[in-house]
Amino acid sequence: MSSPIIQIGMMAAEAAVIAALVLALFRLRSRLGLAPLYVTIGAFQYFQLVLTPALVVEYSTGLLISPAAVLFIASLFAILVVYLWEDAVGARKLIYGIVLANVCLAILSILFGLHLDLPGTRNIFNLPYAMLLQNVRIMMVGAAVIFLDVILIILVYEALGRLLRRFLFIRLFASMAIVLVVDTVLFVSGSFGGQAVLAPFLVSGLMIKPGMSAVYALALVLYLRFVEHPGGTTESHGGAVRDVFHTLTYREKYEHAQLLANKDSLTELFNRRYFDSLLPNELERAKRYKRPTTLLVVDIDRFKQINDEYGHQEGDRVLQLLGETLKDSIRSADVACRIGGEEFAVILPYASLQKGIEVGQRIRALLASRCHAAELSLSADRVTVTIGVASSPSETVIADDLLRLADRRLYLGKQRGRDQVVGANEEGINPESA
């Protein structure tokens, strides 16, 4: 096996081990806090800065790279991990810690380097003062570049989220790879500008670093798949500094707050406000693309009696059970909402009236089976739903009219004996009698 392949394989293995270490320390944050991770990343910084000018691998004629590059990618990887879970607060702490560590190391290198010229100093390993000065240059450039890297990786990761939301590995890999290309140009030019190693370091860095980011991206995807999902554990901001990281993540926080505001806390379905804003947009899109959109209005039969006889706590359990049934009965593109006390609505984009009736029957059947399996105080046969179905644009293109039509069919089903799906329009219905 050729030397370049061995070296690249060795770096990939090092990246995998370091990624596992970072993720393990992050996983232990509930017991140990994030301090061990921050201290470890600080150690990575020191080791990287010492090794970068001192340990170099030649991959082919004229192409040089330091294995310490793996450690730098680890720092960027750790920042991305913390950002995904802890948002701006955690990312701010880590990046400021890295920047300040680099500045402190640069100051210490200058101070201790002064010992080399003082009488009585024994330079046992013959450390050249030029190496210490080189380290100072690398530290200061590294501090500035990694600060820019963090801003860039947040922007790139969020921008790619609009295109690659379902392709997490590609999103993570592309985010790190893009940033590492920019970083390599800035870091190598700033650290080794005017030196003979500039071009070899630059070319090999552009070849190797983005590839190593694939190892880190894969490690994070596996961690997400088998260990832990981001849960938004952002801590209280209190009087925290409102810096660039707070600004960059404000949109994400705002969208998260909007999502919570649009959710029903009991069933975790979307609420009436979200339904009222979404339905007109879906109908407009259905009209524009000449594709149907169907609306189901679902109402729990005799729900007031359930509350009166068994209590509101049991009524809440019935509502939650129906909410889970709706979510499990529809496609990912469909939207289920709780629009009233015991009334729900389901929007089915690109679905005909007949398809809506089929979905309604599936909801009834699944709810019946789940009620028999659930531990309810009331008889499972007591929990039924009546569903009215209407479709656009064949019947109407106006949201209020579509909801009114589905409601009318719902009440028709109530008058006919409940526990059914109605998709045919009939006049002369008295909603008050339902």
Side-chain angles (χ1 to χ4, degrees):
M1 186 178 294
S2 63
S3 176
I5 295 178
I6 295 175
Q7 293 286 358
I8 293 174
M10 186 65 179
M11 287 186 65
E14 292 166 351
V17 172
I18 293 171
L21 177 61
V22 169
L23 292 172
L25 290 172
F26 184 78
R27 178 63 176 169
L28 292 172
R29 69 191 185 282
S30 60
R31 297 184 179 181
L32 305 178
L34 286 171
L37 175 62
Y38 294 165
V39 172
T40 301
I41 296 301
F44 287 173
Q45 287 293 298
Y46 173 76
F47 211 50
Q48 171 204 341
L49 296 171
V50 170
L51 290 180
T52 295
L55 181 62
V56 177
V57 173
E58 185 173 11
Y59 288 92
S60 61
T61 305
L63 292 183
L64 305 173
I65 192 169
S66 173
V70 176
L71 292 173
F72 173 79
I73 304 174
S75 299
L76 202 61
F77 171 72
I79 291 169
L80 184 57
V81 169
V82 172
Y83 171 72
L84 287 176
W85 275 268
E86 305 293 326
D87 201 16
V89 176
R92 176 195 296 123
K93 292 177 181 178
L94 181 52
I95 182 56
Y96 285 167
I98 293 175
V99 170
L100 291 175
N102 281 12
V103 172
C104 290
L105 286 171
I107 295 173
L108 291 176
S109 293
I110 294 174
L111 291 176
F112 291 134
L114 296 176
H115 284 279
L116 295 177
D117 294 328
L118 295 178
T121 300
R122 296 179 59 188
N123 191 350
I124 298 174
F125 294 104
N126 295 318
L127 295 175
Y129 187 55
M131 188 189 82
L132 292 176
L133 290 179
Q134 180 67 52
N135 277 345
V136 171
R137 181 177 179 181
I138 291 173
M139 292 168 193
M140 299 308 297
V141 171
V145 170
I146 198 167
F147 190 86
L148 295 176
D149 286 343
V150 175
I151 297 174
L152 182 59
I153 200 168
I154 291 175
L155 291 174
V156 172
Y157 181 81
E158 293 297 335
L160 291 178
R162 303 185 185 97
L163 303 173
L164 302 171
R165 190 171 298 277
R166 296 185 179 181
F167 304 97
L168 182 59
F169 172 79
I170 299 176
R171 184 182 178 188
L172 291 169
F173 167 71
S175 299
M176 287 192 285
I178 291 171
V179 172
L180 285 170
V181 167
V182 176
D183 168 83
T184 299
V185 174
L186 296 177
F187 180 74
V188 174
S189 300
S191 299
F192 302 101
Q195 301 181 29
V197 295
L198 173 63
F201 270 145
L202 185 60
V203 174
S204 58
L206 292 174
M207 293 173 58
I208 300 298
K209 280 186 178 181
M212 289 298 105
S213 64
V215 178
Y216 286 96
L218 178 60
L220 185 51
V221 168
L222 293 176
Y223 180 80
L224 291 169
R225 175 68 177 81
F226 297 106
V227 181
E228 181 178 8
H229 299 279
T233 57
T234 306
E235 57 193 81
S236 174
H237 289 194
V241 178
R242 292 181 175 270
D243 59 4
V244 64
F245 301 110
H246 185 279
T247 302
L248 288 173
T249 55
Y250 176 79
R251 181 186 60 80
E252 182 189 5
K253 295 191 189 81
Y254 175 76
E255 291 179 353
H256 181 65
Q258 285 290 97
L259 180 63
L260 293 178
N262 288 325
K263 284 292 187 77
D264 172 59
S265 59
L266 179 64
T267 63
E268 297 186 352
L269 300 179
F270 289 104
N271 58 23
R272 180 61 183 258
R273 182 173 68 173
Y274 185 78
F275 171 80
D276 288 340
S277 65
L278 178 65
L279 184 59
N281 294 334
E282 288 295 334
L283 297 191
E284 179 62 32
R285 186 168 64 170
K287 179 182 177 182
R288 184 166 61 250
Y289 294 107
K290 296 182 171 60
R291 300 288 297 272
T293 289
T294 294
L295 173 67
L296 278 65
V297 176
V298 185
D299 189 88
I300 301 174
D301 298 325
R302 300 183 178 88
F303 185 70
K304 184 177 184 303
Q305 294 180 19
I306 293 175
N307 271 337
D308 291 344
E309 293 181 26
Y310 298 95
H312 289 280
Q313 186 174 6
E314 190 73 359
D316 287 347
R317 292 184 63 192
V318 172
L319 291 170
Q320 291 172 328
L321 190 62
L322 177 56
E324 294 169 2
T325 301
L326 292 178
K327 286 188 284 187
D328 293 340
S329 300
I330 60 179
R331 306 165 299 179
S332 59
D334 303 331
V335 180
C337 309
R338 183 185 179 193
I339 60 174
E342 69 272 20
E343 194 172 47
F344 296 75
V346 180
I347 301 174
L348 306 175
Y350 303 142
S352 64
L353 180 67
Q354 182 57 41
K355 182 64 177 177
I357 294 173
E358 293 173 4
V359 172
Q361 297 291 8
R362 185 162 65 243
I363 291 170
R364 285 182 58 248
L366 183 58
L367 179 64
S369 65
R370 288 191 168 179
C371 285
H372 282 88
E375 296 181 358
L376 297 174
S377 299
L378 69 163
S379 169
D381 295 331
R382 292 284 304 274
V383 183
T384 61
V385 292
T386 302
I387 302 174
V389 186
S391 188
S392 178
S394 59
E395 298 183 300
T396 179
V397 296
I398 300 174
D400 288 343
D401 291 345
L402 187 69
L403 178 59
R404 192 176 298 112
L405 179 57
D407 263 332
R408 198 159 64 220
R409 291 172 178 171
L410 166 69
Y411 288 124
L412 174 60
K414 295 279 190 179
Q415 288 186 331
R416 286 177 173 175
R418 302 178 176 86
D419 191 18
Q420 57 189 274
V421 179
V422 180
N425 191 24
E426 294 187 18
E427 301 299 331
I429 302 168
N430 180 16
E432 296 300 326
S433 65

